[in-house]
Amino acid sequence: MNNVDLSVPVLSRGKHRSPRKGACFMEFASYLAGEPWSDHPACTHPLLAGVARDVNDCTTDAGRSRLAPLIPSVIGLTPDDPHVVPRVTARTIRHALPIVSQERQYILAVALLVGEKQLALVEGRPLHDIQPESLAALESVPAATKWARSFTHRARRTTPDFARRTAPRAVSCAVEGISQACVPNPDERLYQLLVDAIEETKGWMPAPAPRTVTTEAVRFTV
């Protein structure tokens, strides 16, 4: 690996056995973080890493190079706050819901409602309380939302595997849906989705510990 020049990343789709075979977004992140070569490195929150992999794979070859400067920004983003998964999932779905195919709208509307319920549980709010941005996205697809509300009401069950299964699947469905939507410049939409997911995750990082100034240090500064 040491003989391979990775100073200017050239991203490509999928997993790669080594840098000589190419690299995806998260494989370059693993390299920059000093981890073993992998598209599932420990340096990034699992859901954010999933968003990055999906965006990498669904962006066109022409647009993918624009993602490379974002790679360093995902390194070290590993918050364990319970807000991260439902909020990143919601932001991703909101990008997709108004523009994807009708079939995907039904799937994503269910996932958004379930995720909003998870978020309400975390924040101690009534389960029917929905973020205004999510409510606006749902209102943009009334048929899918009506069906999703009926479906989630009938299910009447909790989703303990939301973070492990529902959220990653919803993210993949949303990203792929955007890439296939009949809209101008889907690459730009996917880029902005990834930027928003990074910013959301960064917002839940723990605050740095305050620096302790010793008496000796003060003595030398006065």
Side-chain angles (χ1 to χ4, degrees), residues 25 51 64 82 111 122 134 157 182 184 210-211 217:
F25 188 102
V51 174
R64 193 174 293 114
V122 169
S134 293
R157 56 188 176 88
C182 297
R211 295 180 59 186

Side-chain angles (χ1 to χ4, degrees), residues 67-185:
L67 303 177
L70 298 178
I71 296 172
S73 65
V74 306
I75 297 172
L77 292 188
T78 56
D80 58 4
D81 193 292
H83 287 82
V84 175
V85 170
R87 288 189 67 98
V88 169
T89 302
R91 290 191 72 159
T92 302
I93 292 175
R94 292 198 298 259
H95 274 272
L97 195 55
I99 63 172
V100 297
S101 66
Q102 186 178 56
E103 180 182 1
R104 291 182 187 273
Q105 287 176 351
Y106 281 67
I107 296 170
L108 294 177
V110 169
L112 184 54
L113 288 173
V114 172
E116 285 288 335
K117 184 180 293 185
Q118 295 287 315
L119 187 59
L121 284 170
V122 169
E123 297 181 347
R125 295 183 281 107
L127 296 184
H128 62 271
D129 192 12
I130 298 176
Q131 296 177 92
E133 300 88 349
S134 293
L135 186 60
L138 289 166
E139 289 174 345
S140 71
V141 288
T145 298
K146 181 179 179 180
W147 183 89
R149 289 187 186 279
S150 175
F151 177 84
T152 54
H153 178 73
R154 291 197 310 269
R156 291 187 178 276
R157 56 188 176 88
T158 58
T159 53
D161 61 347
F162 180 79
R164 187 171 60 88
R165 298 182 61 184
T166 305
R169 290 176 179 178
V171 162
S172 293
C173 179
V175 172
E176 185 177 19
I178 292 172
S179 73
Q180 297 174 357
C182 297
V183 292
N185 201 355

